[in-house]
Amino acid sequence: ALNLTVLDTGSVGIGTTTPAAKLDVNGGVRVADDAATASATNVGTLRYRTSGNNSYVDMCMQTGAATYAWVNIVQNNW
């Protein structure tokens, strides 16, 4: 059964009927490979990337008055 809750406060719950945050997920969240350019509209976006035998988790961050970059949070090498 689908368990999606949207409260009148604007909070959304997936797998929970009592979301305790704006987005509350009871279970795993998949972050897909994203090749978008870093920009103001992507600030705060998380992405998962792969390159050969490496995988990365990046976040788009503002790096200056009008500059943006994907900043590596975690890198796995194997």
Side-chain angles (χ1 to χ4, degrees):
L2 179 62
N3 191 355
L4 176 69
T5 303
V6 180
L7 301 180
D8 58 2
T9 61
S11 295
V12 175
I14 300 172
T16 178
T17 57
T18 55
K22 285 294 181 187
L23 177 60
D24 191 346
V25 179
N26 181 6
V29 175
R30 182 169 185 243
V31 178
D33 191 355
D34 184 348
T37 302
S39 66
T41 57
N42 287 332
V43 168
T45 299
L46 288 171
R47 74 176 183 182
Y48 174 81
R49 301 279 293 162
T50 60
S51 176
N53 289 335
N54 300 319
S55 62
Y56 309 87
V57 177
D58 297 335
M59 178 176 257
C60 185
M61 306 285 286
Q62 185 168 357
T63 57
T67 57
Y68 308 90
W70 288 103
V71 177
N72 183 257
I73 298 171
V74 177
Q75 177 177 344
N76 265 333
N77 297 304
W78 63 85

